[in-house]
Amino acid sequence: MACSATPKIVHGPLPTNSLRSAEKSDSSCKFMGPSSFFGSKSLNKKLFSVNKAVSSVGHRSAAVVAVSSDVVKEKKLKSSSSLSNLLITREEGLVLYEDMILGRAFEDMCAQMYYRGKMFGFVHLYNGQEAVSTGFIKLLKKEDCVVSTYRDHVHALSKGVPARQVMSELFGKTTGCCRGQGGSMHMFSKEHNVLGGFAFIGEGIPVATGAAFTSKYKREVFKEDCDEVTLAFFGDGTCNNGQFFECLNMAALWKLPIVFVVENNLWAIGMSHLRSTSDPEIWKKGPAFGMPGVHVDGMDVLKVREVAKEAVGRARRGEGPTLVECETYRFRGHSLADPDELRDPAEKAHYATRDPIAALKKYILENNLASEADLKAIEKKIDEELEEAVEFAEESPVPARSQLLENVFADPKGFGIGPDGRYRCEDPKFTEGTAQV
Amino acid sequence: MAAMLQSFGVSSASVAFSDHSAKLSVRSLPVIRSEARSISCPTNGTRCTRKITTKAVAVENPASAASKPGHELLLFEALREGLEEEMERDPRVCVMGEDVGHYGGSYKVTKGLADKYGDLRVLDTPIAENSFTGMAIGAAMTGLRPIIEGMNMGFLLLAFNQISDNCGMLHYTSGGQFTIPTVIRGPGGVGRQLGAEHSQRLESYFQSIPGIQMVACSTPYNAKGLMKAAIRSENPVVLFEHVLLYNLKERIPDEEYVLSLEEAEMVRPGEHVTILTYSRMRYHVMQAAKTLVNKGFDPEVIDIRSLKPFDLYTIGNSVKKTHRVVIVEECMRTGGIGASLTAAINENFHDYLDAPIVCLSSQDVPTPYAGTLEEWTVVQPAQIVAAVEQLCQ
């Protein structure tokens, strides 16, 4: 079976060239280990495996107990390209396109700014994974919560945090979304319900579980009509961490309205997923805890969106959590400090051909949802937005010394009582940031 | 209020020498900081402190019990009372921990609460400290006010990631956008031959974490008051209880009261030496104080209560008066609360000291199981007496 170099667009969802199988070019598979499970034919046939029954654990090539989304099945059967077949409307298509372009352009601008000495420290870019962020987050309401990891710029942008605030935060300016105190790995927004931004992998998952717990609490204790859901994004490396498993257990146990989204980009810095994980099929770990496990092509925003609709819908209806494994890839290194020498150039080249933005663009154009000019206009708009964001960040002030002690405590009485009998926070030097605390 | 102060003056609380009238900080609507900080101490001290109790537990006079205001209870019941009052007052307050619900808590602090408030407000968690602590933090960020119980404080070592990174630091890294009004509480300290791992003093490990407050309760009265204060605080507060103090009995007010998280408690005013202590060591100190008084010394005993931050006002005033300091703690010598307190006093009140600060801590030893060895790891009253005698000569 020949491996097509570019994704073939048919009417309906993009086909699964998503399998990292042995059927692909040899060079991209040299380092991948056993190929049988990834290339199992049964996976080939079913695009969406919502594993509602207990999975046949341990049988890598066993038939997947799958319940394909009805919507998708429908689309597959029809061959005519009438508008009613398409997965998205024109408006939706443009929203998705704009969000992905924003994500990509923003991250590219970050790289530029970093090398120009405008931002510092550890910066982890999201290039290549935009389909996951856009596919999921564009379905959410403002009240829904998103929790991410250190690779959080684009999650924040997709959720609605203005680019200028994120850029400003990265520049360490006081106008940043966290007043310059968080940085690249700690993007928070109370307004848009972005609950972080965490530097240690896995430590955000319990926080997300807690946000989902609050949603359930509001329904059951406050008797409110609350259907807010929480999305937790994290990577393949995190799926070997205790907090992941502990939270899968608790979320399923209490049927929390949460979706666990695994962005499996195959690499945890220089550690290949296959070298660190006894059973690399992460989606299978869901049923072990009593929730569906789904695998989806994370380079295809439309497929991600379809799966996301189901998973978010489940959570909203109170049916409990879902584990979604998105197969995706990061085009850049782990961070801007990563020389990225371990990954096979052929692997990178392969995934470059599955660029989610190019794929969506092709889909939109081939289905006449919009014209080339429309898309170019979006790209231009984003470019301008980013120029403005950088300008805003450049011109914003750095935090004054007075900011140093301000947000350590919500109630600054926590700094205690000084020798003179006054609370330290009442000391005028406190607001100057020079008080002894 | 005045009447209450009077009655406390002659209280026969089983907690010897505890003087609530010296410091009654009641928070009704506005926070009222205690004005009656220092009772004027004539050379012989006040009436309440000159009572030398020969028994460790004062015997309640049945005839007078009925006429006394307040009600008597044990420390764990006082904690529960405080907790229940806050849960009644604010539906956002909830409890999470192992065996807090159906079992009622391993030390019965949450007994009956699950029946009253349901399984969601008093949540029995699986054994996953790091994750349920993180979950409580996520819930706090989104509007709830959870209380996390560590079945033993030592277990919370597993939650250090969440306590340090998210509890302590998240308010700051989010630029002040999210508050974490959680209370982390549980029994710690050296018990009766519980073995090394169940006898840990986590206050020394947590003290450097920015953004948290730490308090230690030692009497039913301050246990209830601190519990309520911790729950109402917008800051994350770690409330240290002690395994051996849960059955202390005391008469506490019927009226609602909330104590200040940042203030220390004057236990026994004195002139010759300042003894700073907290939690269980308070009782070893008071036992030593009996002996010292008999020998003619006049120690001032302060229960610092607030382990982070230190109440440098109360402590400072005492140092300025007595010029000699003994710290008695249960933490290990290295890096304990005593070590920090020594540094803070030296830094701030060096000029007032007539002698170097003496810090009595537990041995830097994993608490042994054998009773004799265990006894030698913690500070005993005889050592306190000897230290004061030496210091005051």
Side-chain angles (χ1 to χ4, degrees):
Chain A
M1 178 167 142
C3 168
S4 49
T6 54
K8 210 155 143 314
I9 311 290
V10 297
H11 305 298
L14 301 174
T16 328
N17 266 349
S18 64
L19 304 171
R20 311 186 220 255
S21 71
E23 292 148 299
K24 300 200 188 306
S25 64
D26 279 334
S27 55
S28 66
C29 300
K30 262 200 283 261
F31 50 84
M32 280 188 192
S35 54
S36 55
F37 77 88
F38 271 137
S40 82
K41 291 253 166 33
S42 52
L43 266 176
N44 236 329
K45 288 191 185 119
K46 302 195 201 289
L47 296 173
F48 298 73
S49 348
V50 181
N51 212 339
K52 295 213 168 97
V54 175
S55 79
S56 45
V57 177
H59 301 274
R60 282 178 170 178
S61 54
V64 169
V65 178
V67 177
S68 290
S69 130
D70 282 339
V71 173
V72 172
K73 261 196 220 151
E74 277 273 295
K75 304 292 181 215
K76 264 175 75 182
L77 293 170
K78 294 193 177 141
S79 54
S80 58
S81 62
S82 62
L83 265 146
S84 57
N85 288 350
L86 300 176
L87 287 171
I88 46 170
T89 63
R90 175 193 156 83
E91 289 71 32
E92 286 167 346
L94 294 178
V95 164
L96 297 181
Y97 189 76
E98 182 170 332
D99 194 53
M100 293 210 287
I101 289 286
L102 173 62
R104 178 70 58 89
F106 188 93
E107 298 293 70
D108 284 339
M109 185 62 85
C110 280
Q112 248 194 73
M113 293 296 120
Y114 189 84
Y115 294 125
R116 280 199 214 166
K118 306 286 185 188
M119 56 178 83
F120 309 92
F122 292 128
V123 179
H124 309 83
L125 300 180
Y126 200 73
N127 297 50
Q129 300 182 198
E130 295 86 359
V132 181
S133 180
T134 300
F136 267 94
I137 299 180
K138 282 316 187 191
L139 291 172
L140 298 183
K141 303 183 295 195
K142 196 169 189 192
E143 301 76 31
D144 296 321
C145 296
V146 163
V147 174
S148 179
T149 60
Y150 44 73
R151 205 178 298 282
D152 57 350
H153 307 168
V154 179
H155 294 134
L157 293 170
S158 291
K159 193 63 173 54
V161 183
R164 55 180 7 211
Q165 279 183 27
V166 182
M167 190 62 78
S168 210
E169 181 65 29
L170 292 167
F171 279 38
K173 302 295 180 81
T174 194
T175 49
C177 52
C178 300
R179 309 182 79 198
Q181 289 165 196
S184 169
M185 300 184 279
H186 302 285
M187 293 293 167
F188 288 83
S189 168
K190 181 131 180 106
E191 189 192 334
H192 299 278
N193 290 301
V194 176
L195 268 50
F198 293 94
F200 288 14
I201 58 150
E203 74 178 348
I205 306 178
V207 172
T209 310
F213 179 83
T214 299
S215 182
K216 182 181 166 93
Y217 193 99
K218 282 185 190 172
R219 258 200 321 274
E220 297 186 15
V221 177
F222 297 162
K223 311 286 187 218
E224 276 173 25
D225 201 6
C226 176
D227 68 348
E228 288 151 25
V229 306
T230 304
L231 301 184
F233 291 91
F234 47 92
D236 43 284
T238 307
C239 295
N240 291 324
N241 187 273
Q243 286 175 98
F244 169 62
F245 299 111
E246 289 172 3
C247 290
L248 286 185
N249 178 45
M250 293 196 291
L253 183 64
W254 298 315
K255 283 200 157 171
L256 300 181
I258 184 172
V259 183
F260 296 101
V261 185
V262 183
E263 295 173 316
N264 183 353
N265 59 22
L266 274 189
W267 292 88
I269 308 188
M271 187 61 158
S272 148
H273 178 57
L274 301 172
R275 284 185 70 218
S276 69
T277 315
S278 57
D279 184 351
E281 294 191 277
I282 300 167
W283 61 271
K284 274 180 166 181
K285 300 180 188 187
F289 290 91
M291 72 178 80
V294 189
H295 179 274
V296 67
D297 175 4
M299 304 306 273
D300 178 342
V301 68
L302 300 177
K303 285 187 196 157
V304 172
R305 193 179 149 87
E306 289 308 300
V307 167
K309 274 187 198 165
E310 266 199 58
V312 171
R314 259 179 60 82
R316 281 209 208 287
R317 291 188 299 269
E319 291 166 24
T322 312
L323 175 66
V324 180
E325 179 185 354
C326 303
E327 184 192 314
T328 183
Y329 201 76
R330 49 171 166 83
F331 293 156
R332 292 180 179 270
H334 163 73
S335 72
L336 288 173
D338 174 18
D340 194 15
E341 290 159 344
L342 280 180
R343 299 191 302 172
D344 192 328
E347 182 191 64
K348 296 188 215 181
H350 165 72
Y351 280 99
T353 65
R354 289 166 57 186
D355 186 330
I357 294 177
L360 181 65
K361 180 169 183 173
K362 198 155 184 202
Y363 183 88
I364 287 175
L365 293 176
E366 287 193 356
N367 291 289
N368 297 312
L369 288 171
S371 67
E372 184 87 43
D374 292 330
L375 300 183
K376 278 265 176 291
I378 289 177
E379 287 160 31
K380 181 160 184 293
K381 174 181 164 201
I382 295 296
D383 277 338
E384 282 165 11
E385 193 177 322
L386 284 179
E387 287 295 331
E388 192 273 332
V390 170
E391 216 179 285
F392 174 76
E394 288 255 31
E395 288 166 9
S396 290
V398 289
R401 177 117 195 213
S402 54
Q403 201 180 302
L404 181 65
L405 304 170
E406 272 170 21
N407 301 124
V408 178
F409 288 105
D411 178 359
K413 296 218 302 284
F415 280 116
I417 302 167
D420 61 0
R422 285 188 302 175
Y423 273 96
R424 298 253 201 222
C425 56
E426 292 164 9
D427 177 346
K429 287 215 207 121
F430 182 84
T431 45
E432 292 165 27
T434 53
Q436 167 86 11
V437 284
Chain B
M1 179 84 69
M4 215 176 350
L5 285 173
Q6 289 286 55
S7 62
F8 276 125
V10 292
S11 92
S12 59
S14 62
V15 177
F17 303 115
S18 138
D19 181 8
H20 297 142
S21 59
K23 185 167 286 297
L24 194 70
S25 178
V26 178
R27 194 199 292 190
S28 45
L29 288 161
V31 178
I32 302 162
R33 269 190 66 203
S34 165
E35 291 307 322
R37 300 189 77 86
S38 45
I39 288 186
S40 60
C41 288
T43 42
N44 284 341
T46 62
R47 57 183 143 75
C48 44
T49 59
R50 294 316 287 167
K51 212 165 32 140
I52 294 167
T53 315
T54 50
K55 292 190 165 76
V57 176
V59 174
E60 187 78 12
N61 180 349
S64 59
S67 59
K68 285 204 183 56
H71 55 286
E72 212 173 50
L73 41 49
L74 304 180
L75 194 146
F76 78 90
E77 292 168 336
L79 288 166
R80 189 197 320 139
E81 208 174 82
L83 178 50
E84 195 168 345
E85 282 175 19
E86 292 305 300
M87 288 184 79
E88 193 62 44
R89 179 178 176 268
D90 186 346
R92 298 171 299 169
V93 177
C94 54
V95 184
M96 297 180 187
E98 293 157 18
D99 272 330
V100 295
H102 295 187
Y103 196 75
S106 53
Y107 289 89
K108 302 296 172 227
V109 173
T110 50
K111 187 170 176 201
L113 296 181
D115 289 333
K116 190 170 173 191
Y117 294 108
D119 281 350
L120 206 60
R121 281 191 81 184
V122 187
L123 186 75
D124 278 324
T125 62
I127 306 174
E129 278 78 6
N130 204 17
S131 290
F132 71 68
T133 301
M135 190 176 93
I137 290 164
M141 288 165 75
T142 44
L144 300 185
R145 304 184 76 90
I147 294 145
I148 302 155
E149 172 170 313
M151 190 183 264
N152 183 288
M153 281 308 242
F155 300 169
L156 294 181
L157 285 174
L158 288 140
F160 211 120
N161 174 192
Q162 293 290 344
I163 294 172
S164 167
D165 291 4
N166 291 342
C167 218
M169 305 207 279
L170 198 145
H171 181 72
Y172 194 82
T173 52
S174 68
Q177 292 181 81
F178 290 99
T179 55
I180 323 286
T182 52
V183 177
I184 298 174
R185 53 156 291 270
V190 177
R192 298 252 181 269
Q193 299 188 252
L194 300 180
E197 294 178 16
H198 281 82
S199 309
Q200 300 191 70
R201 285 123 284 160
L202 256 55
E203 54 269 24
S204 57
Y205 303 162
F206 287 164
Q207 64 175 321
S208 285
I209 299 173
I212 58 165
Q213 284 186 249
M214 304 198 302
V215 289
C217 63
S218 50
T219 67
Y221 177 78
N222 66 34
K224 180 176 173 183
L226 290 174
M227 170 72 93
K228 287 169 74 82
I231 294 172
R232 292 191 194 189
S233 173
E234 293 305 311
N235 298 333
V237 178
V238 185
L239 168 58
F240 289 92
E241 301 154 16
H242 197 287
V243 279
L244 294 181
L245 299 184
Y246 280 127
N247 288 325
L248 281 180
K249 190 192 283 200
E250 190 181 6
R251 183 167 287 275
I252 66 170
D254 290 328
E255 297 77 13
E256 193 182 25
Y257 67 95
V258 179
L259 295 176
S260 165
L261 290 173
E262 297 88 24
E263 289 181 12
E265 185 178 316
M266 178 67 71
V267 182
R268 180 195 188 281
E271 292 289 318
H272 292 163
V273 61
T274 298
I275 306 182
L276 301 172
T277 184
Y278 68 92
S279 192
R280 184 210 172 191
M281 284 297 120
R282 168 182 173 143
Y283 297 93
H284 281 202
V285 166
M286 292 316 290
Q287 210 178 316
K290 262 174 12 201
T291 313
L292 287 168
V293 163
N294 282 342
K295 291 188 175 195
F297 293 94
D298 188 21
E300 177 154 292
V301 179
I302 294 175
D303 181 339
I304 62 172
R305 252 174 31 191
S306 177
L307 307 181
K308 179 183 164 90
F310 295 133
D311 176 0
L312 290 180
Y313 183 63
T314 306
I315 293 169
N317 285 348
S318 182
V319 174
K320 289 174 188 176
K321 184 170 60 166
T322 67
H323 312 298
R324 286 175 169 75
V325 180
V326 176
I327 299 170
V328 181
E329 59 159 356
E330 209 176 84
C331 278
M332 297 200 229
R333 179 134 211 85
T334 304
I337 298 290
S340 298
L341 191 50
T342 304
I345 296 172
N346 275 326
E347 215 171 70
N348 287 287
F349 308 113
H350 180 260
D351 283 342
Y352 296 96
L353 290 169
D354 283 349
I357 298 171
V358 174
C359 182
L360 301 176
S361 324
S362 296
Q363 302 282 332
D364 276 353
V365 154
T367 311
Y369 164 72
T372 45
L373 292 176
E374 183 183 71
E375 205 180 292
W376 294 323
T377 56
V378 296
V379 178
Q380 299 297 338
Q383 292 165 269
I384 303 170
V385 171
V388 170
E389 281 180 326
Q390 168 129 61
L391 187 59
C392 288
Q393 66 188 198

